Amino acid sequence: MNLDFSDDQKMLKDQARKVLSEKSPPGANRAVLEGTAPYDAKLWAQVGELGWLGCAIPEAYGGLGLGYLELCVIAEELGRAIAPVPVSSSIYLAAEAILRLGTEEQKQAHLPRLAAGEVVGTLALAEGVGVPRPERLETRLEGGRLTGRKIAVPDGLGAGLAVVAAREGQGVSIALVDLSEKGVGRAAERSIDPSRKSATLTFEGARAERLGPAGEGWAELQAVLSRAAVLVAFEQVGGADACLAIARDYALSRYAFGRLIGSFQAIKHKLADMYTHTELARSNAYYAAWALSTDAPELPLAAASARVSASHAFDYAAKEMLQTLGGMGITWEADGHLYLRRAAGLRLLLGAPRGWKERLVRELERRNAA
Amino acid sequence: MNLDFSDDQKMLKDQARKVLSEKSPPGANRAVLEGTAPYDAKLWAQVGELGWLGCAIPEAYGGLGLGYLELCVIAEELGRAIAPVPVSSSIYLAAEAILRLGTEEQKQAHLPRLAAGEVVGTLALAEGVGVPRPERLETRLEGGRLTGRKIAVPDGLGAGLAVVAAREGQGVSIALVDLSEKGVGRAAERSIDPSRKSATLTFEGARAERLGPAGEGWAELQAVLSRAAVLVAFEQVGGADACLAIARDYALSRYAFGRLIGSFQAIKHKLADMYTHTELARSNAYYAAWALSTDAPELPLAAASARVSASHAFDYAAKEMLQTLGGMGITWEADGHLYLRRAAGLRLLLGAPRGWKERLVRELERRNAA
Amino acid sequence: MNFDDTPEEAAFRAEARDWLARTAPKFVTPGPDEADDAREAAYIRRAKAWQAAKAEGGYAAITWPKEFGGRGGRPIEQVIYSQEERRYSVPSGPFQIGLGMCVPTVMTWGDDAARKRFVGPAVRGEEIWCQLFSEPAAGSDLAGIRTRSEKKGDEWIVNGQKVWTSGAHYSDWGILVTRSDPSQPKHKGLTFFYLDMKSPGVEVRPIQQIWGGANFNEVYFNDVRIPDSQRFGAPGEGWKVALTMLMHERLAISAGQVTTDVKDFFELAGEIELETGPALENAAVREQIADWYVRSEGLKFTTYRALTALSRGETPGPEGSIGKVVSAPQLQALGTLGMDLGDMAGGLTEEDVAPLKAAFQRAYLFAPGLRIAGGTDEILRNIVAERVLGLPPDIRVDKSVAFNELPVGR
Amino acid sequence: MNFDDTPEEAAFRAEARDWLARTAPKFVTPGPDEADDAREAAYIRRAKAWQAAKAEGGYAAITWPKEFGGRGGRPIEQVIYSQEERRYSVPSGPFQIGLGMCVPTVMTWGDDAARKRFVGPAVRGEEIWCQLFSEPAAGSDLAGIRTRSEKKGDEWIVNGQKVWTSGAHYSDWGILVTRSDPSQPKHKGLTFFYLDMKSPGVEVRPIQQIWGGANFNEVYFNDVRIPDSQRFGAPGEGWKVALTMLMHERLAISAGQVTTDVKDFFELAGEIELETGPALENAAVREQIADWYVRSEGLKFTTYRALTALSRGETPGPEGSIGKVVSAPQLQALGTLGMDLGDMAGGLTEEDVAPLKAAFQRAYLFAPGLRIAGGTDEILRNIVAERVLGLPPDIRVDKSVAFNELPVGR
């Protein structure tokens, strides 16, 4: 039985934590949140230099080729630090899509730049509010030209390369677009978590290459989302853990009625519940990490479980952390809301939990039928 | 604004409470629960003598003709006393069905006996586990003869008269059967709340009269269930209130760690939540009582709201009352489980909350469309 | 049972409705943009004029005795008037705290001169009041305030900081609780004052909240001088004053609840598509709507029950204390699940994209404050448990200890 | 990461599996019908024989030192053995408390003579032990026990009542905590003993539980005489003994968790019809399944993480303490919602009608006890808060007061 990270992986994690506690304090998140920059460029450069972006990208394509477990521990620390950098969009989504679906040429062309952080990638799927469905996509890929409009593109304001879901013929294909091409428009969007800036992207016959076979992109997209769900779950677990630590610190330093507020059962039990939800999420995430790292057939089920569990844990932890902080928590100048916003951002990033619960049960049915 | 009972109604309620606290202590429930009698015959006789059964039955049919608000306050007290008598089956269901659907002759024949408690009525609908649906009923009414099998008939073990849903032609009719007729079989059932004994009824060509028009019984049945839901909600509110009182008394007399357990926030907040759920349920029940007593078009929506709210309140109150009682609560000889069982019994009596939530939203959609 | 007015109530309602129809439209406001000083100043001017008109019409303080500019009316009449006034978007906000809490305190604890000086101008909208109570280290534990007052001759010198003071920046007068003797146990060393908000040494700074609003303030006191004649109650006896004031606050807050709006969610669910089809056809969405609906309706009819008591001339029971502890967490859930329906695009706050002009995103950011203000979820459960159910108070370790010997943190 | 045994673990597992395959089938039992005395007696005989066989095979006390009849094995080996044993329905229950809690206490606190006399017979299944701890007035507050012991010469006279004693009716020996000095504060006046359960004056009465089981007992003591030589620890120092015993209990209980079974609900939902069609097609049912599934899986993998630590020779972290506080309320919800799927017929407990032989109805009645036994939901949250998160203990008012001056109720 070995459901834990190795000593080397734990060392990498400690190192990441140390680096981020210095380079990505809450103030770094706030600076992006309150500013107009799409992300923290300096932190992004450092993250690239440390090799974290290329952690799970093979050496042949400019990565370190360490593996997904290593990327998981880094994700947890990025989540804990609510780091204002586009790792999830660029690595978990764009690089993964290229790695899985790209031709050798495409991999050679794009992965080294993504691994080095020279370009930010993203995945553009939603075209409106509601759950995207293949038959309702209006963006079209025709003859290597992309036309349509995508909203809420994560980290879209700073991205240079987009993986885009588009109709082609009767099916859905995945297009790869250099966002500096002619015919690409970009508009900043306001959102619940401005510490990573999404954007609306418009394509008017923009040049695009196809990633993977024509018309069969939807299932592949789901596979990419599943893989990303595991990594985002680690970010969420890290975020939840950070909220618990903040609430605990406050409960151990704030007095009311002559006692530490952490001595009141209402607070103690609240924090115990935060701990419980977070530990359950962590355990589910570990299992999903195993499935991701071994490409196990259990991956879709494990990823959905991890995402549902971690989305709930971070949501609960962020809200009850604010509640523990009392009036302090609801001021703009205190840091609590940065976590509340990130919790919402990550919860929605790959689609809301409702859809993942549906996937989960579908996987259970499939397993049962087998 | 007048969303409260009148002074007269409150007096009736106080009187009912006094009578029941004497005649229907928890021991009365336990005697039926542990015994083989279908209900507490002595209490039933008293309830009949007091006129409670005929409360909302017109004087022309042997009732007192007071009205539904009066029946609501009595229902609350029956619920508080977890009275082991078949009032809900006989009055809220059977008498209501006859009152709404019966011919003048049928009313004259049956209502006076139901009002006096000379016969116990019931409504037989379910034929298996799961939600009954008209197209799946197998019990048939043909040429005045009933054939089929009904399970979980509430108070079925002691009933003498049954209102039975049955297929007739392409539709569903409602049949009225004297259970002493030839061709009627009856088998006792074990259930979660044996303080009112359900039964399986089998009909093998038993003589039956139709109640209301042929083939149009399903919608009428829903209307009867809606009306009953209001009255059962009052029983549930009474039951929840009783649980809160038991938990409160215990919290104010049990010491742990040198303090009354009622001084611990975990217990205080639990009881505050019990109170909150119960007050919300009470308020919803009051509104539904208004709708019932005035036959308002809002009745289906109000009844569904009252049922959903009250089922939740009693469920929560019963469970957390047991939790407050600790080890004491889980012994057979303590009374806690009598309430837990009744909570389950009433929750399922008219069908589980899930179906009522569906009705509620359907009514909202209807209102919105109008 | 019915939902009708009594004949007297109906007459009063007709009269108020008529007066409002004639008067209110002149004062209707698009609401303050509080980030914009100029617009706020205009809003305050409009609010003062509206209050003057209400005083003129006899609706400024319906339940107050006539000698104080009131109408000597019944509480149910105040409710009826408020129901009718709510049909117009009139600027009543700036006077709620003054007329709801501060001036009643003046009436109870002030001398004749103070009553004469302040009640009239407040009722007529000439002066706005604020309440200087909460502090950074005294939120749920209100008696834990640290703002110091020291007597020098006929004056008191005040130093310290208040927080969460609504409207401090446009108020003329404030009611202030201070600690005059830290060597006494916490409830014994408090002293109450009122003061001119333009007094030298008073500094008001707005607090920006996480949902963007800034209607609260921090108020700093640097050697502020207050004449002893502006003291309420005896020195050290301020807790008694506080208790009457808190009683007024509780009434005011339970009257001013935000109602969570399941209708918004219902509407959204009718418009939006999930993977499995329209959201409103999804059984989980439907059950969620039903659960919220029965809670919202339960609260509404709980209010109706309280109004019934008022209408009968009775005092409403303690049911009202459950309102916010139900509605605030429900608003929070509404916010989250409303965003969820938007799925990947659910986090957008652009009003032309986010359904209902981003109402759910706003709820997500506003609800945490609602769970805190006017009593946290936890304090409200304590109140229900203690005042309604009669359970024992929490064990108190701070009752008989000198205030300056109590442990302090942040 | 993987879910494999290390080579050493695999070797041990193979060996245990082989031994079990050869030995266990002879002892397999249909399980006790505890309402039936004759069947229980047969069950106990089978259990003793099985324990003897385990001792013979070297699996009776895997982690104990060889000198005590153990194998000197690693904790992970105990886990592996238990996993393998669980494949057979063998009668291990009656020895869990004795070997898990009582005999370890004998080993820690008894003298050489006691160890020599008791450890061997317990390991070999010749003697069964029970733990006489809880009392009607001492549940969550274990130190609140009132059973009196008074020293007379070389003996102690014991009077009082214990409750929730598993297996008292078939136990040979019991470990007993008493109050020897009520004038001391509650943790100071306790004294521990062991005693022959056939001692004159010991009376055992079964407690019927609400789900029908009766595996617990009340035990009454009427002038029971216990030799002073059967005392553990110094008089008045019993709390120290209790703490070591409670530590063993916690380990035993967290190992013996009931797993809530969302699979049962999934299966039921696949069979049952709702108004809107098959239950498993209902989105609300599906979300409920997903929510339960991720919690059950979360607990399972939390256990795997603890096993990983054991396998590495480390001590598992505090994660294990979350198990029951998650699984017990979930079992309760499963019971209710499983019955709900049956709708109007959901309350039937007839095993031929109620799905899964009335498993949901049983869960509904069993879960309340699970939320209490071995630490209530509330106590477990306190434990997580204090031991895992390091939050302060509750304010204690009973620490320095003489026990007989503490307030009493029921």
Side-chain angles (χ1 to χ4, degrees):
Chain A
M1 181 63 62
N2 183 13
L3 186 59
D4 196 1
F5 292 96
S6 69
D7 287 344
D8 281 355
Q9 288 154 358
K10 288 179 181 174
M11 266 176 57
L12 177 62
K13 184 175 165 174
D14 290 344
Q15 183 212 2
R17 187 167 185 164
K18 217 176 130 201
V19 169
L20 288 166
S21 70
E22 192 186 320
K23 309 288 187 191
S24 179
N29 179 297
R30 176 182 295 276
V32 177
L33 184 94
E34 294 178 348
T36 54
Y39 54 85
D40 183 330
K42 200 169 148 204
L43 179 60
W44 179 247
Q46 282 161 332
V47 159
E49 276 162 33
L50 284 160
W52 295 353
L53 300 176
C55 205
I57 294 174
E59 290 178 85
Y61 306 121
L64 296 182
L66 288 173
Y68 287 98
L69 294 179
E70 285 72 11
L71 191 54
C72 286
V73 301
I74 287 169
E76 181 178 338
E77 296 311 318
L78 290 167
R80 188 185 317 279
I82 49 170
V85 281
V87 180
S88 54
S89 307
S90 197
I91 302 302
Y92 316 161
L93 289 169
E96 273 299 310
I98 295 167
L99 199 51
R100 283 181 63 83
L101 301 171
T103 60
E104 184 60 27
E105 259 185 322
Q106 286 171 324
K107 291 182 194 174
Q108 293 288 0
H110 301 292
L111 289 175
R113 296 176 64 221
L114 288 167
E118 289 166 24
V119 65
V120 171
T122 186
L123 183 141
L125 176 49
E127 300 183 358
V129 290
V131 177
R133 290 159 71 178
E135 68 275 18
R136 300 177 75 230
L137 287 186
E138 293 180 5
T139 299
R140 303 196 66 90
L141 179 66
E142 272 171 31
R145 296 285 171 174
L146 192 69
T147 306
R149 181 169 176 273
K150 296 287 180 181
I151 68 167
V153 179
D155 296 304
L157 196 63
L161 183 69
V163 172
V164 183
R167 295 198 66 76
E168 187 178 28
Q170 295 308 304
V172 171
S173 292
I174 301 181
L176 193 58
V177 188
D178 181 336
L179 296 178
S180 62
E181 287 281 344
K182 238 184 72 179
V184 175
R186 182 188 331 236
E189 295 170 337
R190 284 180 301 173
S191 81
I192 197 81
D193 181 15
S195 72
R196 288 169 51 191
K197 295 207 163 48
S198 75
T200 297
L201 298 181
T202 49
F203 305 101
E204 296 177 356
R207 199 154 57 177
E209 35 182 327
R210 194 183 328 94
L211 203 55
E216 293 168 21
W218 190 257
E220 290 296 342
L221 209 53
Q222 303 310 308
V224 170
L225 290 175
S226 262
R227 299 174 74 81
V230 180
L231 295 156
V232 171
F234 274 90
E235 289 200 9
Q236 291 170 310
V237 167
D241 232 17
C243 290
L244 175 57
I246 292 168
R248 179 180 173 277
D249 285 351
Y250 194 76
L252 286 173
S253 61
R254 168 87 179 181
Y255 284 83
F257 305 102
R259 307 158 50 171
L260 282 174
I261 64 167
S263 73
F264 286 101
Q265 284 188 336
I267 299 294
K268 291 169 74 167
H269 292 189
K270 186 191 295 299
L271 267 57
D273 287 345
M274 285 166 67
Y275 174 79
T276 299
H277 294 311
T278 305
E279 278 307 302
L280 292 178
R282 175 180 296 284
S283 296
N284 278 311
Y286 278 28
Y287 176 64
W290 166 80
L292 175 65
S293 69
T294 58
D295 227 341
E298 290 88 346
L299 178 59
L301 180 56
S305 295
R307 176 143 181 83
V308 169
S309 194
S311 295
H312 173 67
F314 196 8
D315 177 69
Y316 183 83
K319 287 173 178 169
E320 299 309 320
M321 176 268 284
L322 280 198
Q323 181 69 12
T324 304
L325 264 51
M328 176 66 70
I330 59 172
T331 63
W332 185 274
E333 71 176 21
D335 292 331
H337 68 115
L338 308 178
Y339 296 85
L340 186 74
R341 292 170 183 279
R342 180 56 62 92
L346 293 184
R347 181 183 174 95
L348 298 165
L349 174 62
L350 308 173
R354 175 150 283 147
W356 289 90
K357 291 181 189 176
E358 175 55 31
R359 275 168 207 238
L360 189 161
V361 177
R362 232 180 276 150
E363 289 297 327
L364 285 180
E365 289 174 307
R366 187 172 309 174
R367 196 176 68 176
N368 244 35
Chain B
M1 182 62 62
N2 182 13
L3 185 60
D4 196 2
F5 291 97
S6 69
D7 287 344
D8 282 354
Q9 287 153 358
K10 288 179 180 172
M11 266 178 56
L12 177 63
K13 183 175 165 172
D14 289 344
Q15 182 211 5
R17 187 167 185 165
K18 218 176 130 201
V19 169
L20 288 167
S21 71
E22 192 186 319
K23 310 289 186 189
S24 180
N29 179 296
R30 176 182 294 276
V32 177
L33 184 95
E34 294 180 346
T36 55
Y39 54 84
D40 184 329
K42 202 170 145 202
L43 179 61
W44 179 247
Q46 283 161 333
V47 159
E49 277 160 31
L50 285 161
W52 294 353
L53 299 176
C55 205
I57 294 175
E59 289 178 83
Y61 307 122
L64 297 181
L66 289 172
Y68 287 98
L69 295 179
E70 285 72 14
L71 191 53
C72 286
V73 299
I74 288 170
E76 181 178 340
E77 296 310 319
L78 290 167
R80 187 186 316 278
I82 49 171
V85 282
V87 180
S88 54
S89 307
S90 198
I91 302 303
Y92 315 161
L93 290 168
E96 273 299 311
I98 295 169
L99 199 52
R100 284 181 61 85
L101 301 172
T103 61
E104 182 61 25
E105 257 185 323
Q106 286 172 323
K107 291 182 194 173
Q108 292 289 358
H110 300 293
L111 290 175
R113 297 175 64 218
L114 288 167
E118 289 165 24
V119 65
V120 170
T122 185
L123 184 140
L125 176 48
E127 300 184 356
V129 291
V131 178
R133 291 160 70 178
E135 68 275 17
R136 300 175 76 229
L137 287 186
E138 293 181 2
T139 298
R140 303 196 68 88
L141 179 66
E142 273 172 30
R145 298 284 170 174
L146 192 69
T147 305
R149 182 169 177 273
K150 295 288 181 181
I151 68 168
V153 179
D155 296 306
L157 195 62
L161 182 68
V163 172
V164 183
R167 294 197 66 78
E168 186 178 28
Q170 295 308 304
V172 170
S173 292
I174 301 180
L176 192 60
V177 189
D178 180 337
L179 296 179
S180 63
E181 287 280 346
K182 241 183 73 179
V184 176
R186 183 191 326 240
E189 293 171 338
R190 286 180 299 174
S191 81
I192 197 84
D193 181 15
S195 73
R196 289 171 50 193
K197 295 204 165 50
S198 74
T200 298
L201 298 182
T202 48
F203 305 102
E204 297 178 353
R207 200 154 57 178
E209 33 182 330
R210 193 184 325 95
L211 205 53
E216 294 170 21
W218 191 256
E220 290 296 342
L221 209 54
Q222 303 310 309
V224 170
L225 290 175
S226 262
R227 299 173 73 82
V230 180
L231 295 157
V232 171
F234 274 89
E235 289 201 8
Q236 291 170 310
V237 167
D241 232 16
C243 291
L244 175 56
I246 293 168
R248 179 180 174 276
D249 285 352
Y250 194 76
L252 285 172
S253 62
R254 168 88 180 182
Y255 284 83
F257 305 102
R259 308 160 49 172
L260 282 173
I261 63 168
S263 72
F264 286 101
Q265 284 187 335
I267 299 294
K268 292 170 72 166
H269 292 189
K270 185 191 294 299
L271 267 57
D273 287 345
M274 283 167 68
Y275 174 80
T276 299
H277 294 312
T278 304
E279 278 308 301
L280 293 177
R282 176 180 295 283
S283 296
N284 279 311
Y286 278 27
Y287 177 64
W290 165 80
L292 175 65
S293 68
T294 58
D295 228 340
E298 291 87 346
L299 179 59
L301 180 56
S305 296
R307 177 147 180 81
V308 168
S309 193
S311 295
H312 173 67
F314 196 8
D315 177 70
Y316 183 82
K319 286 172 178 169
E320 299 309 319
M321 177 268 285
L322 280 197
Q323 182 70 12
T324 305
L325 264 50
M328 176 66 70
I330 58 171
T331 64
W332 185 275
E333 71 175 22
D335 292 331
H337 68 113
L338 309 179
Y339 297 84
L340 186 74
R341 291 170 183 278
R342 180 58 61 92
L346 294 184
R347 179 182 175 96
L348 298 166
L349 174 62
L350 308 172
R354 177 151 281 148
W356 290 90
K357 291 182 190 174
E358 174 56 30
R359 276 168 206 239
L360 189 160
V361 178
R362 235 180 274 151
E363 289 296 327
L364 285 179
E365 288 173 308
R366 187 171 311 174
R367 197 177 67 178
N368 244 37
Chain C
M1 287 182 181
N2 62 65
F3 302 97
D4 306 331
D5 289 332
T6 63
E8 296 76 24
E9 290 165 10
F12 176 83
R13 188 184 299 275
E15 187 193 312
R17 193 178 287 188
D18 180 60
W19 181 83
L20 278 161
R22 282 184 285 112
T23 321
K26 285 176 283 202
F27 299 94
V28 161
T29 163
D33 180 343
E34 286 152 328
D36 180 334
D37 286 345
R39 287 189 59 182
E40 190 178 65
Y43 172 77
I44 294 296
R45 274 198 304 280
R46 211 160 37 240
K48 288 185 169 183
W50 169 237
Q51 184 65 27
K54 278 165 77 172
E56 178 81 26
Y59 297 100
I62 290 168
T63 60
W64 292 10
K66 290 191 177 154
E67 61 190 286
F68 289 133
R71 182 192 189 93
R74 302 196 306 141
I76 191 70
E77 292 176 345
Q78 179 64 61
V79 171
I80 290 169
Y81 175 78
S82 300
Q83 288 170 344
E84 295 299 323
E85 194 193 81
R86 216 171 293 141
R87 297 165 183 257
Y88 300 90
S89 184
V90 282
S92 293
F95 289 92
Q96 272 175 10
I97 286 169
L99 298 179
M101 286 175 259
C102 301
V103 181
T105 304
V106 174
M107 284 155 64
T108 308
W109 291 94
D111 56 19
D112 278 346
R115 281 195 282 262
K116 194 159 175 198
R117 161 69 187 80
F118 292 109
V119 175
V123 169
R124 293 189 302 271
E126 293 156 18
E127 290 175 348
I128 300 180
W129 286 70
C130 65
Q131 181 217 40
L132 299 147
F133 214 135
S134 296
E135 295 187 5
S140 293
D141 179 13
L142 287 166
I145 61 125
R146 297 180 190 168
T147 293
R148 281 286 278 128
S149 62
E150 289 177 275
K151 191 149 188 230
K152 289 239 172 118
D154 267 0
E155 287 184 328
W156 294 77
I157 315 296
V158 176
N159 282 286
Q161 183 198 347
K162 296 287 172 182
V163 75
W164 302 117
T165 313
S166 300
H169 56 302
Y170 53 64
S171 288
D172 303 288
W173 295 89
I175 283 200
L176 172 71
V177 59
T178 65
R179 184 164 304 281
S180 50
D181 186 353
S183 70
Q184 291 287 317
K186 71 200 290 189
H187 294 83
K188 308 274 182 185
L190 303 177
T191 300
F192 249 83
F193 303 96
Y194 64 89
L195 85 161
D196 185 338
M197 288 298 286
K198 276 96 196 168
S199 305
V202 175
E203 186 192 348
V204 178
R205 296 185 202 159
I207 303 173
Q208 196 186 354
Q209 292 126 48
I210 64 178
W211 59 91
N215 42 330
F216 296 103
N217 299 278
E218 295 175 315
V219 182
Y220 292 84
F221 296 88
N222 294 306
D223 288 332
V224 175
R225 291 165 178 276
I226 303 179
D228 188 50
S229 60
Q230 293 180 199
R231 174 169 42 76
F232 285 149
E237 299 287 321
W239 189 243
K240 289 183 194 161
V241 185
L243 287 178
T244 56
M245 189 148 178
L246 289 173
M247 199 184 62
H248 294 302
E249 177 172 26
R250 207 153 289 121
L251 289 174
I253 282 178
S254 74
Q257 265 158 44
V258 172
T259 48
T260 54
D261 215 343
V262 59
K263 284 189 214 79
D264 290 345
F265 191 87
F266 183 82
E267 190 182 313
L268 176 63
E271 291 168 5
I272 224 158
E273 290 276 322
L274 301 183
E275 195 193 0
T276 46
L280 195 49
E281 290 177 13
N282 180 289
V285 172
R286 293 172 82 80
E287 288 204 5
Q288 186 62 74
I289 288 172
D291 284 335
W292 284 334
Y293 182 79
V294 304
R295 282 205 290 261
S296 292
E297 290 283 292
L299 283 184
K300 180 170 94 183
F301 296 120
T302 300
T303 305
Y304 282 16
R305 287 168 56 207
L307 295 182
T308 301
L310 277 185
S311 171
R312 293 179 179 179
E314 300 160 7
T315 308
E319 310 85 30
S321 43
I322 67 175
K324 196 170 75 81
V325 83
V326 173
S327 60
Q330 180 157 319
L331 183 72
Q332 188 162 47
L334 262 160
T336 303
L337 295 174
M339 288 198 293
D340 274 2
L341 286 189
D343 208 59
M344 289 184 181
L348 292 186
T349 53
E350 299 285 343
E351 295 196 358
D352 57 338
V353 182
L356 299 165
K357 297 192 173 175
F360 296 103
Q361 290 78 5
R362 253 198 325 278
Y364 183 76
L365 295 175
F366 182 74
L370 193 62
R371 287 181 61 194
I372 300 291
T376 64
D377 291 358
E378 292 73 24
I379 291 291
L380 291 177
R381 285 198 172 83
N382 263 7
I383 287 175
V384 171
E386 293 170 22
R387 302 208 195 142
V388 180
L389 302 177
L391 295 172
D394 287 340
I395 302 280
R396 292 295 292 260
V397 298
D398 59 343
K399 284 239 163 178
S400 50
V401 180
F403 182 78
N404 54 16
E405 286 170 12
L406 286 173
V408 291
R410 56 179 166 188
Chain D
M1 287 184 183
N2 62 64
F3 303 98
D4 308 330
D5 290 330
T6 63
E8 296 76 23
E9 289 164 8
F12 176 83
R13 187 184 298 276
E15 188 193 311
R17 192 178 286 189
D18 179 59
W19 181 83
L20 278 161
R22 283 183 286 110
T23 320
K26 283 175 285 202
F27 299 94
V28 161
T29 164
D33 179 344
E34 285 152 328
D36 180 334
D37 286 345
R39 287 189 59 182
E40 189 178 67
Y43 172 77
I44 295 296
R45 274 198 305 280
R46 211 160 38 241
K48 288 186 168 182
W50 168 238
Q51 184 65 27
K54 280 164 76 172
E56 177 81 27
Y59 296 102
I62 290 168
T63 59
W64 293 10
K66 289 192 179 154
E67 59 191 289
F68 289 132
R71 183 192 188 93
R74 300 196 308 142
I76 191 70
E77 291 176 345
Q78 178 66 59
V79 170
I80 290 170
Y81 174 78
S82 300
Q83 288 170 344
E84 295 299 322
E85 193 193 81
R86 216 172 292 141
R87 298 163 183 256
Y88 300 90
S89 182
V90 282
S92 294
F95 289 92
Q96 272 175 10
I97 287 169
L99 298 179
M101 287 175 257
C102 301
V103 181
T105 303
V106 174
M107 283 155 64
T108 309
W109 291 94
D111 55 19
D112 278 347
R115 283 195 280 264
K116 193 158 177 199
R117 161 67 186 81
F118 291 109
V119 175
V123 169
R124 293 189 303 271
E126 292 155 17
E127 289 176 347
I128 300 180
W129 286 71
C130 66
Q131 182 216 40
L132 298 148
F133 213 136
S134 296
E135 295 187 8
S140 292
D141 179 14
L142 287 165
I145 61 126
R146 298 180 190 167
T147 293
R148 280 287 277 126
S149 62
E150 291 177 273
K151 189 147 188 234
K152 288 240 171 119
D154 266 2
E155 288 184 327
W156 294 75
I157 315 295
V158 176
N159 282 286
Q161 183 199 347
K162 296 289 172 179
V163 74
W164 303 117
T165 314
S166 299
H169 55 304
Y170 53 63
S171 287
D172 302 288
W173 294 89
I175 283 199
L176 172 71
V177 60
T178 66
R179 184 162 306 279
S180 50
D181 188 352
S183 69
Q184 292 287 320
K186 71 199 292 187
H187 294 84
K188 306 275 180 184
L190 303 177
T191 301
F192 248 83
F193 302 98
Y194 64 91
L195 86 162
D196 184 337
M197 288 297 286
K198 275 96 196 168
S199 303
V202 175
E203 187 192 347
V204 178
R205 294 184 204 159
I207 302 173
Q208 198 186 351
Q209 292 129 46
I210 65 178
W211 59 91
N215 43 329
F216 296 104
N217 300 279
E218 295 177 315
V219 182
Y220 291 84
F221 296 86
N222 294 304
D223 288 333
V224 174
R225 291 166 177 276
I226 302 179
D228 188 50
S229 60
Q230 293 180 199
R231 176 170 41 76
F232 285 148
E237 298 287 323
W239 188 244
K240 288 184 193 158
V241 185
L243 288 178
T244 55
M245 191 147 177
L246 288 173
M247 198 185 64
H248 293 303
E249 178 174 25
R250 206 153 289 123
L251 290 174
I253 283 178
S254 74
Q257 266 158 43
V258 172
T259 49
T260 54
D261 213 343
V262 60
K263 284 189 213 80
D264 289 345
F265 191 88
F266 183 80
E267 191 182 311
L268 176 63
E271 291 168 5
I272 225 158
E273 290 277 320
L274 300 183
E275 194 192 0
T276 46
L280 195 51
E281 290 178 13
N282 180 289
V285 171
R286 293 172 83 80
E287 288 203 5
Q288 186 63 75
I289 288 172
D291 284 335
W292 284 334
Y293 181 79
V294 304
R295 282 206 290 261
S296 291
E297 291 283 291
L299 284 185
K300 181 171 96 183
F301 296 119
T302 299
T303 305
Y304 284 15
R305 287 167 57 206
L307 295 182
T308 301
L310 276 186
S311 172
R312 292 179 180 180
E314 299 160 7
T315 307
E319 310 86 31
S321 44
I322 67 175
K324 196 170 76 79
V325 83
V326 173
S327 60
Q330 180 156 320
L331 183 71
Q332 188 162 49
L334 263 160
T336 303
L337 296 174
M339 287 198 293
D340 275 2
L341 287 189
D343 207 58
M344 290 185 180
L348 292 186
T349 53
E350 299 285 341
E351 294 196 358
D352 56 338
V353 182
L356 301 165
K357 297 191 173 176
F360 296 102
Q361 289 78 3
R362 256 198 323 280
Y364 182 76
L365 295 175
F366 182 73
L370 193 63
R371 287 182 60 194
I372 300 291
T376 64
D377 290 359
E378 292 74 24
I379 291 290
L380 292 178
R381 285 198 172 84
N382 263 7
I383 287 175
V384 170
E386 293 170 23
R387 302 210 194 139
V388 180
L389 301 178
L391 295 172
D394 287 340
I395 302 279
R396 292 295 292 260
V397 297
D398 60 343
K399 285 241 164 175
S400 51
V401 181
F403 182 76
N404 54 17
E405 285 170 14
L406 286 173
V408 290
R410 55 179 169 189

